[in-house]
Amino acid sequence: MPSAIIELNNFNYEIDGKPILKNLCCTINKGEHLSIIGPNGAGKTTLIKCIANIFQDGTGAITLKGRPLNTYPQKELAKLISYVPQAEGANFPFTVSEFVLLSRYPHLSPFSSPSKEDFKALHQALKQTETAEFEHRKMNTLSGGQKQRVLIAAALAQQTEIVLLDEPTTFLDPKHQSDILRLLKAMHEKQDITIITVTHDINHAATLSNRILALKEGSIAFFGSIKECMTNDILQPIYDKEFLFINHPVSNLPIVIPETL
């Protein structure tokens, strides 16, 4: 039976007095891959930043492993949750290896140097993400796809149970999108990591996830299985447009196809 790892109970969040998230109630299970979809401005990025405790002072409750999120010290929380932002525009004055090693801070004692275990985690993460070939390059010399893989490498090196990703394939060409999606699939299946991904690509959500959470105007418009979600009964009121579907030739699940204009 699935066990809950994150629970939201009547959770609300405001920015400058404007409601962004409204009465969210849902349970995310340990080891699942959840995709968060919805139109621009729906509150998707705000939600994962609240789960990562980057945005604080919401009302209601977010519970992590049965304990209120706001009771975790930052270092303890960083052993449980890693957050991967969008790579576009993210420039850091470090080499790749220096940047990935920074993610090991939850495992370090104050004023201590990285240990053999830290370097082992670094090299494993670089190998998994196929970024070892440019470990000595500066982050600001990398392409968008390379940088995105390094950000995921940092999350892997952090060795958390939960990885939150904000639109990991945005601005990437088809090959780099495919590389990132394969990497996420391997992380989920081989390492039993709970993954929560914000995405604008409904098909990526449908082919990668266990379940989909759809937001509209800060409220939950849908939360359930891929098969239930991929219909016009669900998607049309969320996006205010009608979709065309076919069944995927491998998974046999419905996917969206471009419309003719």
Side-chain angles (χ1 to χ4, degrees):
M1 184 175 178
S3 59
I5 194 166
I6 297 170
E7 296 178 89
L8 282 78
N9 185 18
N10 295 320
F11 183 75
N12 300 270
Y13 188 78
E14 295 183 354
I15 295 178
D16 296 330
K18 178 184 178 182
I20 304 299
L21 301 174
K22 308 168 189 173
N23 298 315
L24 303 190
C25 294
C26 66
T27 297
I28 301 167
N29 295 322
K30 179 177 171 57
E32 81 168 315
H33 188 164
L34 176 73
S35 287
I36 302 174
I37 65 170
N40 291 336
K44 302 182 296 297
T45 294
T46 299
L47 175 55
I48 61 166
K49 286 186 174 182
C50 288
I51 294 172
N53 211 34
I54 295 169
F55 288 171
Q56 302 175 9
D57 302 321
T59 61
I62 300 178
T63 303
L64 172 63
K65 302 187 76 170
R67 175 177 161 188
L69 181 69
N70 59 12
T71 67
Y72 282 88
Q74 185 57 41
K75 194 167 184 179
E76 185 179 354
L77 185 63
K79 291 181 180 180
L80 296 172
I81 296 179
S82 52
Y83 170 67
V84 181
Q86 294 183 41
E88 185 70 12
N91 290 311
F92 307 95
F94 305 105
T95 66
V96 167
S97 58
E98 288 170 342
F99 177 79
V100 175
L101 266 180
L102 288 174
S103 70
R104 294 293 299 168
Y105 85 91
H107 307 278
L108 294 174
S109 301
F111 310 112
S112 65
S113 299
S115 65
K116 288 182 180 179
E117 193 65 29
D118 297 316
F119 282 105
K120 181 180 178 181
L122 162 68
H123 293 302
Q124 284 180 338
L126 294 179
K127 181 179 179 181
Q128 279 181 266
T129 54
E130 299 181 355
T131 52
E133 63 185 285
F134 37 82
E135 65 176 303
H136 301 299
R137 282 176 56 181
K138 292 285 189 180
M139 289 286 291
N140 59 10
T141 69
L142 303 181
S143 70
Q146 291 168 339
K147 197 179 297 180
Q148 190 70 65
R149 282 186 286 151
V150 172
L151 293 176
I152 295 174
L156 286 170
Q158 196 171 328
Q159 295 181 328
T160 58
E161 297 180 38
I162 302 164
V163 178
L164 311 176
L165 302 107
D166 189 4
E167 300 187 33
T169 60
T170 301
F171 306 116
L172 302 185
D173 62 47
K175 179 189 183 305
H176 287 113
Q177 285 190 27
S178 181
D179 290 344
I180 295 297
L181 295 176
R182 275 197 298 267
L183 176 58
L184 296 180
K185 184 178 176 66
M187 287 167 56
H188 178 237
E189 293 180 349
K190 297 178 182 178
Q191 297 176 252
D192 197 32
I193 294 173
T194 303
I195 297 178
I196 304 174
T197 305
V198 166
T199 181
H200 275 293
D201 194 311
I202 299 171
N203 286 336
H204 288 173
T207 53
L208 275 181
S209 312
N210 302 117
R211 291 190 293 171
I212 289 177
L213 172 65
L215 295 178
K216 184 172 184 180
E217 297 178 352
S219 298
I220 294 178
F222 173 82
F223 184 45
S225 71
I226 309 303
K227 191 171 183 179
E228 292 172 316
C229 181
M230 298 295 283
T231 68
N232 270 314
D233 286 345
I234 298 297
L235 293 180
Q236 186 172 358
I238 292 171
Y239 289 96
D240 298 319
K241 74 177 298 296
E242 191 170 355
F243 292 88
L244 298 173
F245 301 93
I246 60 169
N247 284 355
H248 191 282
V250 176
S251 69
N252 204 38
L253 289 170
I255 58 173
V256 174
I257 61 172
E259 59 189 278
T260 55
L261 299 178

